[in-house]
Amino acid sequence: MSQDPTAPSPAGPSPTGRRRFLASGAAALGAATAGQLAAPAPALGATPYVPRPVHRPTAAPLPDGLFTLGVASGDPLPDGVVLWTRLAPDPLNGGGMPGRAVEVEWQVAADSRFRHIVRRGTTRAEPAYGHSVHADVRGLAPGRDHWYRFRAEGQLSPTGRTRTAPPPHATGTLRLALASCQNWQHGYFSAYADMAAQDPDAVLFVGDYIYESGPSATAVRRHEGAGEPVTLEQYRNRYAQYRADPDLARMHASAPWIVTFDDHEVDNDYAGEIPQDPDRQPHEAFVPRLTAAYQAFYEHMPVRATAVPSGPHIRVHRRLDFGRLARLQVLDTRQYRSDQATTQEGAQSPLLTMLGASQKRWLVEGLRDSPARWNLIASQIMLAETDLLPGVGKRWYYDAWDGYQAERNELLGELAAIRNPVVLSGDRHLTMVSDLRRDYADPASRTIGAEFVGCSISSNGDQDQDAFRAQWDPLRADNPHWKLLDAHRGYHLFDIGRDGIDAQVRTVETVLSPASPVRPPVRLRVDEGTPGVRLV
């Protein structure tokens, strides 16, 4: 990536030194030019030397429609943001690009009409990465809206808007949207239309951006392809289909996203390098599938080069600060975990890990060293307990933190010692807002924080509300820490300030049509210095 050559140099040479530099540079250039073009004098009577013109074949022009997948931005910093696009004129058939690199220009402006361009540069869209573009732009003003666009061989992308994080010592406000679980086949992504209208500063997406299931003849919208994706091209096609949703594309172009993956970006309920069904997917077959899935994730997400995969490994856990108001730590609860337990005794084994040793140390350090008023953790799966057995005894959902009791309890101990912990989760396809308790085995255990498990964008479709209540209401007596249960589709919106977090559960009436009315929001509140959450 090359920055704007007109940008001022922080330490340019003095006028005298600059003149010397230019003079010596001109002399060197003259010597180099003479060395390249001068030919020895021909011998007497010899045929004079006539250099032949060098023939350089002209590359075929690129197809029309390079920017079918739109634009996006992500991981905002006080001075920068990642800008994303992918050149794909034939998005559902591998992309449709020739096998050559393409120079892509990018511009960032302080206004939507690009009258005041503040940064510009170029980056190469390489065929090895699906002609995706990840421009890590720095030198921007903090806490500001910026507009951006791309150009490749005369074709111009749509315009996107992004927003940098506030300055390091700021203590203002932050509007954050929480989303997860968008199954194309279960319905439309109409909740994003309302999200765009709410104008969040950033979107936190905690997993299941795509679903790996094969096409269904009875689906609301049918998956592309003939089966589950397993190759890189098949995963690329699946992401391209999801990116075609107009409400999702519009939301990507409206605000920066902070993304992580859960299981369906690869394979349902996988753990590390262990698939859900190892008898059908042996290790030597699953590792190439992991490799393809992680690369496709990187190619389609606005993430930094730290997330470039290395084979079946990718780093997505990271930390973002929003001034002194909030620290957000984004977890990876899939790649390093032990295989899921299958019994209550197994779930309590101290040998099981969800995070792996290195990520766990990183998380604890970030919690203990945090200067922020609010300590937010993005966890793909639910941290609070879900006791599925009415009455005496417990039965847990082993794929969530309940299946990793020892490490979960260690984490709760760390959260008990820090300021204002709030966990933001997904996976469950329902809204489940809970108090975090220090010890769920002790009914009298104190409250130490709050957790918001976000409802799905579309997964599970328009759920039967009576059936949902019949299933979950009988469990509330065994889970007194639950504050709200809801099975409508949508997202959560948080207005984070110095004295508290005002939360809204914003849902739509239906996902069976491209547009839907929005239901009245449910409002909740977390007060600064008072652990737990309450309905307003």
Side-chain angles (χ1 to χ4, degrees):
M1 178 179 70
S2 60
Q3 292 288 345
D4 184 358
T6 64
S9 170
S14 65
T16 303
R18 177 173 171 79
R19 282 195 294 271
R20 276 199 216 101
F21 173 79
L22 290 175
S24 62
L29 178 61
T33 302
Q36 289 169 5
L37 299 183
L44 186 62
T47 302
Y49 170 76
V50 179
R52 294 182 179 180
V54 177
H55 175 69
R56 292 184 175 88
T58 303
L62 296 178
D64 291 335
L66 294 180
F67 298 102
T68 58
L69 302 183
V71 299
S73 66
D75 282 9
L77 302 175
D79 70 336
V81 71
V82 177
L83 305 181
W84 174 93
T85 191
R86 179 182 164 221
L87 309 182
D90 191 4
L92 297 185
N93 291 287
M97 287 290 291
R100 63 177 175 91
V102 177
E103 293 290 328
V104 180
E105 304 170 63
W106 53 263
Q107 294 178 330
V108 181
D111 64 296
S112 62
R113 300 185 70 177
F114 289 83
R115 291 175 173 172
H116 182 202
I117 295 175
V118 295
R119 284 292 182 273
R120 67 176 69 201
T122 61
T123 188
R124 287 169 65 88
E126 300 281 356
Y129 289 100
H131 290 95
S132 60
V133 174
H134 298 77
D136 191 350
V137 181
R138 302 299 175 96
L140 302 177
R144 302 279 184 87
D145 283 350
H146 296 84
W147 286 260
Y148 62 94
R149 62 189 179 186
F150 301 90
R151 188 193 308 272
E153 298 191 10
Q155 297 186 45
L156 193 64
S157 77
T159 294
R161 186 189 66 167
T162 190
R163 190 168 293 159
T164 47
H169 298 288
T171 57
T173 60
L174 173 68
R175 171 165 276 201
L176 184 67
L178 171 68
S180 64
C181 304
Q182 50 189 32
N183 192 318
W184 178 273
Q185 298 199 131
H186 289 180
Y188 293 89
F189 303 163
S190 51
Y192 285 125
D194 179 72
M195 185 187 291
Q198 301 305 313
D199 193 22
D201 297 310
V203 178
L204 174 62
F205 193 93
V206 292
D208 294 346
Y209 188 97
I210 64 167
Y211 278 70
E212 85 291 6
S213 52
S216 168
T218 61
V220 180
R221 299 191 289 182
R222 185 184 175 100
H223 271 154
E224 54 73 43
E228 292 191 11
V230 294
T231 68
L232 178 56
E233 181 168 323
Q234 288 168 342
Y235 277 109
R236 284 172 175 167
N237 292 344
R238 186 60 55 88
Y239 274 101
Q241 182 179 43
Y242 276 59
R243 285 259 182 196
D245 183 274
D247 291 317
L248 175 60
R250 190 176 304 114
M251 193 61 238
H252 268 300
S254 299
W257 284 49
I258 302 160
V259 295
T260 187
F261 56 78
D262 194 20
D263 54 342
H264 289 291
E265 287 88 349
V266 181
D267 181 44
N268 183 52
D269 285 353
Y270 83 98
E273 294 186 1
I274 304 171
Q276 179 189 32
D277 48 359
D279 54 325
R280 299 177 58 190
Q281 296 185 83
H283 185 261
E284 60 270 20
F286 189 64
V287 168
R289 184 179 188 182
L290 269 180
T291 301
Y294 288 159
Q295 178 165 334
F297 174 85
Y298 168 75
E299 290 176 353
H300 291 85
M301 294 296 139
V303 291
R304 290 192 163 81
T306 51
V308 173
S310 175
H313 307 287
I314 184 172
R315 174 161 179 158
V316 294
H317 63 278
R318 59 204 186 278
R319 184 179 299 132
L320 295 164
D321 287 333
F322 295 87
R324 289 189 175 271
L325 178 69
R327 165 165 286 185
L328 173 63
Q329 303 205 93
V330 181
L331 301 185
D332 176 351
T333 59
R334 282 289 161 193
Q335 191 175 183
Y336 309 109
R337 68 158 70 187
S338 308
D339 197 9
Q340 291 90 339
T342 57
T343 65
Q344 297 291 101
E345 181 181 5
Q348 298 176 75
S349 170
L351 301 178
L352 295 188
T353 180
M354 177 72 79
L355 302 175
S358 177
Q359 183 181 194
K360 183 162 59 175
R361 284 194 302 270
W362 166 86
L363 173 61
V364 170
E365 289 169 0
L367 293 172
R368 293 178 178 177
D369 297 342
S370 173
R373 181 174 296 260
W374 296 97
N375 284 285
L376 312 178
I377 297 177
S379 172
Q380 292 91 333
I381 44 86
M382 185 172 174
L383 183 66
E385 182 175 83
T386 300
D387 181 2
L388 297 170
L389 181 65
V392 179
K394 291 181 182 291
R395 185 172 68 246
W396 296 311
Y397 175 51
Y398 298 126
D399 190 57
W401 276 98
D402 277 342
Y404 300 78
Q405 291 275 318
E407 189 167 279
R408 193 268 303 276
N409 292 339
E410 289 179 32
L411 178 55
L412 290 172
E414 294 292 339
L415 297 184
I418 66 168
R419 189 177 189 182
N420 298 323
V422 177
V423 178
L424 306 175
S425 308
D427 179 62
R428 300 302 294 271
H429 304 170
L430 54 85
T431 288
M432 187 175 279
V433 181
S434 305
D435 287 344
L436 291 175
R437 299 286 180 85
R438 175 62 187 88
D439 181 5
Y440 286 103
D442 178 6
S445 181
R446 67 187 178 97
T447 296
I448 61 170
E451 179 175 31
F452 292 81
V453 177
C455 44
S456 70
I457 291 292
S458 66
S459 300
N460 276 26
D462 287 349
Q463 197 157 344
D464 184 318
Q465 297 299 309
D466 291 337
F468 171 77
R469 290 296 167 195
Q471 177 186 0
W472 289 95
D473 284 351
L475 300 175
R476 299 199 68 156
D478 297 276
N479 297 273
H481 49 283
W482 293 349
K483 295 301 182 71
L484 175 67
L485 296 176
D486 185 86
H488 292 90
R489 307 294 151 234
Y491 68 100
H492 293 185
L493 186 68
F494 305 94
D495 286 299
I496 304 171
R498 290 172 54 85
D499 62 345
I501 297 178
D502 289 306
Q504 300 180 50
V505 178
R506 300 187 65 87
T507 56
V508 295
E509 291 287 355
T510 180
V511 295
L512 301 183
S513 61
S516 171
V518 179
R519 303 178 70 252
V522 180
R523 299 180 183 272
L524 303 102
R525 170 84 177 179
V526 180
D527 292 307
E528 199 279 335
T530 304
V533 59
R534 58 185 173 86
L535 284 165
V536 176

